[in-house]
Amino acid sequence: MTYSSLDQIYRSILLSKYFVKGWGKPDNLKRLFEFRKIISNRDLCYNLIPKDYPIVIDKDEVWSDYRVLEGHFRSPLDVQLPNIMPEEVKRAHFQIVLPTKWQEENYKPMCLHLAGTGDHYFWKRRNFMCKPLLREAGIGGMILESPFYGSRKPQDQVRSNLHNVSDIFVMGGCLMLESLVLFNWCEQQGLGPLGVTGLSMGGHMASLAATNWPKPMVLVPCLSWSTASGVFTQGVMSGAIPWDILKYQYFSDDVYREEIRKMVTIIDDDAFKAGKHFVQKYSDDTNDLTNLQPSPRIEGELFSPKKFVNNQDSNKSDPQEADKCPLMDQDDLSAEKTVDALAQSFAAMSSSIDEETDSKSGKEIRKEELGKDILDSLSDSKFKMLTFKVKTSDEQSPEVKRELEDYQLRKVIGRKLPFSILGLKSSSVRDREAIQFMRGIMDECTHLKNFSVPVDTSLIIAICATEDGYVPRDGVTHLADVWPGAEVRYINTGHVGAYILHQAAFRRAIKDAFLRAKEKLCSS
């Protein structure tokens, strides 16, 4: 599987680090793993949530063609596992977007939208997914705020950077139970059929949430796969994890190795052995690749388009520059033009969005400003993309060509990639054991083989990116093997490219899945 260069560049310019406080308290991990055995069983999990679970509606607003309810309730995970989450996480906040009038009396589709990484509060999902789906297909929307995000973010947490690995499992447990609360509420209101979707992390959380609903349900996981273990041990996100801290904690506390490790089961995916790709690529020198010198076969230096246009004549007349050739054509986009182009794409996506006031921030959202606002929110620093070309000869081996590309790519972005394309020195046995442990606990709590199969897999349409650097699929169980009958669609791009440019494809899949549910509903 080839990783998108855009995914690698995007991840490399982010300064954020995840799990900076380590694995989490050993006692909390053990409680979570024991509880996983309950919530992975549909009958046991569904019976944990009373159908009349108390919900408080705080706001009910009617706009021109839709209605927005906003409310909260206590997270059922706090009831089942008290004192395992920060105080801010315990209260679940949600919005519900409804039409002022349903198109059909017996068909009132509702889709729950779960948040991807970095998606705080409600407005992104409301404006890019819920409102377009409501206008295009009459599908109502539910938006659940993720634990550790938005108003549920702990005060000492910076942006989306979860402190502990265990926080991911708390988030998953919360969303599975909280989704059942909202599904039950919809049924009580006479709404249905029901569905759930999400992008990236939200897509995997949607998959987990759907496993515990005892009736046929629409499921559209976007940019996710059958397990999240590869995200943290194999993909570009693994470069954002402080492995030295995790390794130190793992070997300094016997509870992790002697007790917790025995509680997890690594799924034996074909041709995939415990973060094999990452183990080959990772070393303690990941953040210091300065010892990698440019190959003498590299011809030319990196030029910006502007510099090349202004200096190409002088370069030709300078004997010391005579052998140099530009690696960027003059008609390539500059970084600034690329940012503007992407911002325009977002602005186009928001053409149907009304000017309104966000209920949380109180800021006006204007169409002409929305594109750049979203683009800025995608990263901790200003996103820039450069295109480049490397001049190589036909006689050079594929390995040498990859080395040249890797070297020049690192020069383009001005920082070091998480991995060298040719690979770094082999990591130690201790590195491998820590990575193996990470894969084990991630598989334990996220691999779909460990959960019930949704009641009707024909209502599942998954969307994947062919060059996804965030969610690797090499050697991991295919989603259709875990859920026979599910449909998988592919977008020919990477993770970031799909998120930016293919929102319409995600909405199309949701509409198609609900049409299937409608046909089955009418035929029954």
Side-chain angles (χ1 to χ4, degrees):
M1 178 178 171
T2 303
Y3 289 173
S4 163
S5 297
L6 178 55
D7 286 356
Q8 298 183 60
I9 294 172
Y10 177 75
R11 180 59 251 177
S12 70
I13 64 176
L14 298 181
L15 301 176
S16 56
K17 289 286 184 180
Y18 292 85
F19 314 143
V20 293
K21 293 186 178 181
W23 302 102
K25 296 179 181 179
D27 287 345
N28 285 351
L29 283 170
K30 289 192 287 186
R31 292 174 67 194
L32 287 165
F33 293 159
E34 288 294 338
F35 191 63
R36 199 281 301 167
K37 299 174 183 177
I38 297 175
I39 62 174
S40 61
N41 181 296
R42 179 162 42 240
D43 294 334
L44 295 177
C45 183
Y46 180 71
N47 290 326
L48 292 177
I49 309 298
K51 292 186 177 181
D52 58 348
Y53 193 89
I55 287 180
V56 177
I57 301 297
D58 301 309
K59 189 184 299 185
D60 186 347
E61 298 180 341
V62 178
W63 294 70
S64 59
D65 57 346
Y66 63 93
R67 174 185 173 197
V68 178
L69 304 178
E70 190 166 329
H72 71 273
F73 55 91
R74 181 186 178 187
S75 176
L77 187 67
D78 186 44
V79 178
Q80 301 297 325
L81 295 178
N83 303 318
I84 204 167
M85 65 181 76
E87 193 64 32
E88 298 89 343
V89 178
K90 294 179 180 179
R91 175 180 284 194
H93 298 266
F94 65 91
Q95 277 190 357
I96 296 178
V97 182
L98 299 169
T100 53
K101 184 178 180 180
W102 290 100
Q103 297 176 359
E104 301 179 37
E105 185 61 31
N106 296 324
Y107 178 68
K108 301 177 181 179
M110 291 292 297
C111 186
L112 173 63
H113 299 261
L114 299 183
T117 302
D119 188 353
H120 295 254
Y121 302 112
F122 306 114
W123 71 270
K124 285 184 186 177
R125 284 169 284 167
R126 183 177 67 242
N127 289 320
F128 290 151
M129 298 298 288
C130 290
K131 288 166 64 175
L133 284 171
L134 188 63
R135 290 166 178 165
E136 297 167 6
I139 300 173
M142 298 176 282
I143 313 168
L144 180 58
E145 195 172 49
S146 283
F148 302 97
Y149 278 23
S151 61
R152 304 180 73 179
K153 182 172 72 70
Q155 292 184 358
D156 59 343
Q157 178 182 303
V158 178
R159 293 183 293 277
S160 310
N161 305 332
L162 303 184
H163 287 160
N164 302 292
V165 176
S166 60
D167 292 344
I168 284 283
F169 309 141
V170 171
M171 180 186 290
C174 281
L175 292 175
M176 291 178 71
L177 297 179
E178 291 164 12
S179 296
L180 289 176
V181 173
L182 293 178
F183 295 152
N184 282 331
W185 182 88
C186 285
E187 280 206 333
Q188 286 186 323
Q189 304 301 314
L191 305 175
L194 303 178
V196 59
T197 187
L199 304 183
S200 190
M201 179 183 72
H204 198 84
M205 296 299 180
S207 296
L208 296 178
T211 61
N212 286 327
W213 188 244
K215 302 173 185 178
M217 165 170 281
V218 166
L219 170 60
V220 183
C222 304
L223 307 181
S224 64
W225 201 233
S226 57
T227 179
S229 61
V231 173
F232 300 101
T233 62
Q234 189 180 358
V236 298
M237 271 288 291
S238 56
I241 296 175
W243 289 102
D244 289 341
I245 294 175
L246 296 179
K247 183 174 63 175
Y248 174 79
Q249 284 189 359
Y250 179 74
F251 285 102
S252 62
D253 193 333
D254 291 341
V255 176
Y256 293 111
R257 289 179 290 120
E258 301 300 328
E259 297 182 37
I260 297 177
R261 188 174 63 173
K262 296 177 181 179
M263 299 177 67
V264 303
T265 302
I266 295 179
I267 302 299
D268 187 17
D269 289 322
D270 295 337
F272 185 78
K273 298 297 181 183
K276 177 180 178 182
H277 182 275
F278 178 69
V279 170
Q280 293 173 345
K281 303 297 183 185
Y282 173 76
S283 80
D284 293 334
D285 296 334
T286 296
N287 295 320
D288 184 13
L289 302 180
T290 55
N291 59 336
L292 182 58
Q293 299 299 322
S295 167
R297 299 182 182 89
I298 295 180
E299 302 180 23
E301 295 292 329
L302 182 65
F303 283 72
S304 71
K306 184 176 181 180
K307 181 178 178 181
F308 171 53
V309 171
N310 293 337
N311 298 322
Q312 54 182 333
D313 293 333
S314 60
N315 285 345
K316 292 179 182 178
S317 61
D318 187 345
Q320 295 181 353
E321 300 289 330
D323 293 332
K324 292 186 177 181
C325 63
L327 299 179
M328 299 183 69
D329 293 335
Q330 61 181 2
D331 57 349
D332 285 339
L333 289 175
S334 66
E336 291 77 12
K337 288 182 179 179
T338 302
V339 172
D340 291 340
L342 292 174
Q344 290 174 6
S345 297
F346 278 113
M349 291 163 53
S350 64
S351 60
S352 63
I353 298 173
D354 296 329
E355 294 184 1
E356 58 177 280
T357 301
D358 185 272
S359 60
K360 289 291 181 183
S361 66
K363 297 180 181 178
E364 282 192 355
I365 302 174
R366 292 184 173 85
K367 294 179 183 179
E368 63 270 16
E369 298 175 353
L370 190 56
K372 288 190 177 182
D373 287 345
I374 296 170
L375 192 61
D376 290 340
S377 72
L378 282 175
S379 65
D380 300 328
S381 59
K382 189 174 182 181
F383 178 80
K384 296 182 179 181
M385 180 178 68
L386 298 176
T387 58
F388 66 96
K389 298 177 181 179
V390 179
K391 185 176 181 180
T392 60
S393 66
D394 295 336
E395 292 78 15
Q396 289 168 344
S397 67
E399 290 77 11
V400 170
K401 290 181 180 180
R402 286 196 298 271
E403 181 181 8
L404 304 184
E405 293 171 359
D406 187 42
Y407 172 73
Q408 288 298 338
L409 183 58
R410 289 197 304 273
K411 288 186 65 178
V412 168
I413 63 177
R415 293 184 55 184
K416 310 307 181 190
L417 288 178
F419 316 118
S420 165
I421 291 178
L422 282 181
L424 303 172
K425 68 183 183 181
S426 178
S427 54
S428 67
V429 173
R430 292 169 69 89
D431 290 333
R432 290 196 294 270
E433 190 169 344
I435 296 165
Q436 179 87 348
F437 182 68
M438 173 67 90
R439 191 204 166 197
I441 62 176
M442 285 294 169
D443 271 349
E444 177 70 21
C445 292
T446 70
H447 204 301
L448 298 179
K449 278 188 175 180
N450 287 333
F451 295 82
S452 301
V453 177
V455 173
D456 189 348
T457 56
S458 69
L459 299 180
I460 300 173
I461 302 178
I463 308 291
C464 298
T466 56
E467 299 180 355
D468 199 324
Y470 280 80
V471 186
R473 299 186 303 277
D474 285 342
V476 183
T477 305
H478 197 283
L479 194 63
D481 293 334
V482 182
W483 293 338
E487 178 185 349
V488 181
R489 299 178 182 177
Y490 294 91
I491 300 173
N492 191 26
T493 184
H495 195 91
V496 176
Y499 181 89
I500 293 175
L501 301 174
H502 293 278
Q503 297 275 334
F506 304 146
R507 295 197 298 270
R508 188 181 309 115
I510 294 170
K511 290 184 284 188
D512 291 346
F514 270 100
L515 285 176
R516 292 181 189 176
K518 183 179 181 180
E519 291 174 0
K520 292 200 170 191
L521 183 66
C522 295
S523 61
S524 61

